[in-house]
């Protein structure tokens, strides 16, 4: 019995150990299968990611291809536009060359016309000088204004040496202001003006002062026009001040009156160039013409300044 019990016990232990070993082996096999399944799932995920990346790349490639086609179309359009611009530039260059040629021809014609006009004016000046015709002198003066209406011209030659007072005397004579009966004319000449020599262009200086006297006569229908002539020895300047009691100049128009063809009153005769010409002449003689803003009126005062 004892042997039987021992045999049975040994058999039971062996079976229990075998069962335990089998269970452990099954557990290990299950873990290995779980690991294999996890590895398989990871590989599936990786393949799916690779597939998604491939599809994204394929989509991007399609977009790139479409963009490339659009870029080719844009490039073709740009080349077409460049060709149009080139054609337009060639047409403009051709037109510019034609206009330049026309401009050169017109400039030559104007120069010839100016030369002819100057010859006529010089001849008329000689006639006026010989016979002293005041009306003819006025016509010659208007022709001469055409040469002085544009600002910024070359300086005038100052070849005449005369007394300062002589400019005033000639301007008064040519304007005829002393013979006008509808206003009172006064001339005040400082002794320094009759004793000081002026180096200038007599004809142009007289023309500038004549315009100031004409302007004063035009806008003074009743009252007084005064001409003051003096010399500022400190500044070496001859000063001619023309003062009137006419309609005056509004402050807002003070800067406009020297512009060509500006007329503050359309009811008066003239082209609106007298003050423009007078100032341009003064500046070409290295002097100036100013509106005296300190003058309280009535009327206006203009000051012509010429270097001695």
């Amino acid at each position: 019995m004892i042997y039987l019990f021992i045999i049975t016990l040994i058999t039971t232990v062996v079976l229990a150990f075998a069962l335990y070993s089998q269970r452990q082996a099954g557990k290990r096999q299950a873990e290995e299968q779980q690991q294999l399944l996890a590895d398989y799932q990871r590989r599936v995920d990786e393949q799916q990611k690779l597939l998604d990346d491939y599809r994204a790349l394929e989509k991007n490639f399609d977009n790139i291809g479409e963009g490339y086609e659009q870029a080719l179309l844009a490039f073709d359009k740009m080349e077409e536009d460049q060709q149009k611009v080139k054609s337009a530039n060639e047409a403009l260059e051709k037109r510019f060359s034609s206009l330049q040629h026309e401009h050169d021809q017109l400039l030559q014609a104007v120069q010839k016309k100016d030369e002819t006009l100057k010859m006529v004016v010089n001849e008329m000046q000689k006639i006026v000088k010989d016979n002293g015709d005041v009306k003819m002198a006025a016509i010659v003066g208007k022709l001469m204004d055409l040469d002085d209406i544009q600002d910024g011209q070359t300086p005038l030659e100052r070849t005449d040496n005369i007394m300062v007072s002589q400019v005033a005397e000639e301007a008064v004579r040519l304007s005829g202001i002393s013979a006008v009966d509808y206003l009172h004319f006064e001339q005040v000449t400082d002794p320094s003006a009759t004793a000081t020599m002026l180096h200038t262009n007599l004809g142009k200086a007289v023309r500038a002062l004549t315009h100031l006297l004409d302007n004063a006569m035009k806008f003074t229908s009743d009252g007084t026009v005064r001409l003051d002539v003096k010399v500022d020895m400190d500044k070496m300047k001859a000063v001619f001040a023309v003062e009137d009691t006419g309609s005056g100049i509004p402050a807002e128009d003070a800067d406009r009156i020297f512009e060509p063809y500006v007329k503050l009153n359309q009811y008066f005769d003239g082209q609106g160039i007298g003050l423009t010409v007078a100032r341009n002449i003064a500046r070409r003689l290295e002097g100036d013409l100013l509106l005296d803003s300190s003058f309280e009126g009535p009327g206006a005062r203009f000051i012509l300044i010429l270097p001695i």
Side-chain angles (χ1 to χ4, degrees), residues 37-94:
L37 182 61
D39 292 342
Y40 175 77
Q41 184 63 43
R42 186 175 65 255
R43 290 176 183 177
V44 169
D45 292 341
E46 290 176 350
Q47 289 178 352
Q48 183 64 41
K49 185 176 184 304
L50 288 173
L51 181 60
D52 293 340
D53 291 342
Y54 172 78
R55 289 174 178 173
L57 287 173
E58 188 178 38
K59 184 177 181 180
N60 289 336
F61 180 78
D62 292 339
N63 292 335
I64 291 173
E66 183 179 351
Y68 178 73
E69 292 178 357
Q70 292 178 350
L72 286 177
L73 292 175
F75 181 76
D76 292 339
K77 183 66 168 58
M78 183 177 65
E79 285 190 332
E80 182 181 350
D81 292 341
Q82 287 179 343
Q83 187 62 36
K84 290 180 179 179
V85 171
K86 182 179 179 181
S87 299
N89 286 337
E90 291 175 352
L92 286 174
E93 289 178 358
K94 185 177 181 180

Side-chain angles (χ1 to χ4, degrees), residues 11-12 16 58 63-64 113 161 173 224 232-233 269 302:
T11 302
T12 302
E58 188 178 38
N63 292 335
I64 291 173
K113 181 179 178 181
N161 293 303
R173 182 182 67 83
T224 301
D232 186 340
M233 295 304 298
D269 294 333
F302 289 91

Side-chain angles (χ1 to χ4, degrees), residues 276-288:
T276 304
V277 170
R279 186 176 69 170
N280 289 347
I281 289 175
R283 291 180 174 179
R284 293 180 70 190
L285 291 173
E286 301 181 16
D288 207 352

